[in-house]
Amino acid sequence: MGFSEDNLNGVILALLSSGFIGASFIIKKKGLRRAAAASGVRAGVGGYTYLREPLWWIGMIISFLILVIVGEAANFTAYAFAPAVVVTPLGALSIIVSAVLAHFILKERLHKLGILGCVMCIAGSVIIVVHAPREVPITSVQEIWNMATQPAFLLYMGSVIVLVFILVIHFDPRCGHTNVLVFTGICSLVGSLSVMSVKALGTSLKLTFEGKNQLIFPETWFFMLVVVICVVIQMNYLNKALDTFNTAIVSPIYYVMFTTLTILASVIMFKDWDGQSGGTIISEICGFVVVLSGTILLQVTKDFERSSSFRGTHTPGSPSLSTRLCTGNGELAKYSDEEVPPEEICLRIQESY
């Protein structure tokens, strides 16, 4: 299927978004390192001397006023031009930008497997872009409203709301701080609805700028309200996940779940795959799997670089991946003086909740 001009604009905006967002982290961290070198106290252990460091302030201003805002604006606009099945997976490229810049600027060594992960993300993204479906022309926000109220998407939306309530009311109090899938599951489910609303709102604003005012329709404001509510919930539980669990575990799991659910929601609501051949759809799925695999590999090798087990000197009693998935930061310390297998510790912690 031919590559439309809207798809091209959407892909370019998504790539720019990934570049800006990925670079913002490096600038901020560079300022933190410089402040730590001057004072000898890192921000992670309670140091605040970075507040007196000009480079940190420059980094913050550039990061939030330019890179992050421009990056998120580009990402927001990308959904107005290209299908979510194209834009969402390209978000993984921000991880590549961050990893590559960290290797050259911050001198954080990128392992060979990490390089392989970057190559896989790029290759998968190319496959997705080449086989991307055309964006269906939309002339009114009311058309999007009809898509959002079709039985298939209402069933999906109802299922998401029920699952989120179950996770929040039942699982969060019991195992939210011991199982990473609870917080990331809430973020991903709500995030899939937020992306659909962002695409609806972005398309409405695009039509408005083209001279077809959509702000007069209540549907536009409803989608805006849904975006605000979903983003607040999403960020709240994402912060909880990052505060409780290792980032190297949260990032790939969240990316896999969020991207998968977003693509599913987009296929149901906007029927992105209608009119595409089976071979093209399979190619897109394969490209998506390659991107996911590359993202996981890149994040996991970051965690391995911090551990001695990656260099062949395994420390007895170090927690396995399955143990880290069900334990928060600091939970293992309670049993550090006991000779208890990590899996047994996991069971004890779950029973305590």
Side-chain angles (χ1 to χ4, degrees):
M1 191 170 286
F3 200 65
S4 67
E5 183 180 350
D6 276 353
N7 274 25
L8 179 61
N9 292 333
V11 168
I12 292 174
L13 288 167
L15 293 176
L16 288 174
S17 170
S18 297
F20 284 128
I21 294 172
S24 68
F25 293 110
I26 304 302
I27 296 175
K28 284 187 290 184
K29 190 166 184 178
K30 184 72 173 177
L32 288 172
R33 281 193 172 185
R34 183 167 172 177
S39 65
V41 182
R42 294 172 55 194
V45 293
Y48 294 98
T49 54
Y50 61 85
L51 295 175
R52 298 195 300 269
E53 176 57 50
L55 182 60
W56 182 83
W57 283 106
I58 293 173
M60 286 296 293
I61 293 172
I62 294 176
S63 295
F64 286 101
L65 296 185
I66 301 178
L67 296 180
V68 172
I69 292 178
V70 172
E72 292 298 341
N75 189 57
F76 176 88
T77 310
Y79 282 108
F81 287 94
V85 296
V86 177
V87 177
T88 306
L90 291 180
L93 297 180
S94 64
I95 301 174
I96 297 179
V97 173
S98 179
V100 172
L101 290 179
H103 178 79
F104 290 104
I105 297 176
L106 302 178
K107 307 303 178 185
E108 294 181 354
R109 191 168 73 89
L110 185 61
H111 192 269
K112 291 180 180 178
L113 289 178
I115 297 175
L116 176 61
C118 292
V119 173
M120 291 174 66
C121 287
I122 295 173
S125 298
V126 171
I127 294 173
I128 292 173
V129 170
V130 169
H131 295 89
R134 282 182 178 271
E135 176 76 346
V136 178
I138 296 175
T139 59
S140 170
V141 68
Q142 293 174 318
E143 287 185 33
I144 305 178
W145 179 260
N146 292 334
M147 296 177 184
T149 54
Q150 60 184 308
F153 188 73
L154 288 176
L155 177 61
Y156 174 82
M157 184 170 56
S159 302
V160 166
I161 294 173
V162 170
L163 286 173
V164 168
F165 268 102
I166 292 174
L167 288 171
V168 171
I169 296 173
H170 180 76
F171 288 100
D172 184 1
R174 290 170 174 78
C175 55
H177 289 81
T178 59
N179 193 319
V180 69
L181 297 178
V182 176
F183 291 152
T184 54
I186 296 172
C187 292
S188 302
L189 288 165
V190 175
S192 67
L193 296 183
S194 72
V195 170
M196 297 303 99
S197 300
V198 163
K199 183 170 179 61
L201 181 59
T203 303
S204 299
L205 294 177
K206 174 190 171 187
L207 291 172
T208 299
F209 290 137
E210 290 176 351
K212 304 173 184 176
N213 187 10
Q214 303 298 305
L215 299 178
I216 60 175
F217 297 110
E219 290 86 351
T220 300
W221 299 100
F222 176 81
F223 284 126
M224 184 179 295
L225 177 63
V226 173
V227 169
V228 173
I229 294 174
C230 288
V231 168
V232 169
I233 297 173
Q234 192 177 355
M235 295 308 301
N236 177 45
Y237 282 95
L238 181 59
N239 287 334
K240 286 186 177 183
L242 293 172
D243 183 59
T244 307
F245 301 97
N246 192 321
T247 304
I249 297 297
V250 174
S251 295
I253 292 177
Y254 172 62
Y255 178 78
V256 170
M257 295 176 67
F258 169 70
T259 308
T260 302
L261 289 170
T262 298
I263 290 177
L264 176 62
S266 182
V267 168
I268 294 174
M269 179 173 172
F270 293 98
K271 303 188 183 328
D272 293 327
W273 285 345
D274 280 13
Q276 287 196 296
S277 65
T280 302
I281 295 174
I282 292 174
S283 297
E284 289 178 43
I285 294 174
C286 289
F288 174 53
V289 171
V290 172
V291 172
L292 293 183
S293 302
T295 303
I296 294 172
L297 185 60
L298 183 57
Q299 291 286 357
V300 169
T301 51
K302 284 183 183 179
D303 194 39
F304 283 164
E305 279 297 307
R306 302 187 189 103
S307 66
S308 58
S309 61
F310 187 76
R311 296 185 289 273
T313 56
H314 178 67
T315 303
S318 61
S320 63
L321 175 62
S322 60
T323 304
R324 287 186 291 161
L325 283 173
C326 63
T327 56
N329 295 336
E331 291 289 340
L332 292 173
K334 300 177 183 178
Y335 304 93
S336 58
D337 296 330
E338 303 179 35
E339 294 183 359
V340 182
E343 287 73 16
E344 179 66 23
I345 294 175
C346 180
L347 291 175
R348 288 189 186 185
I349 294 173
Q350 287 181 335
E351 289 174 358
S352 68
Y353 282 85

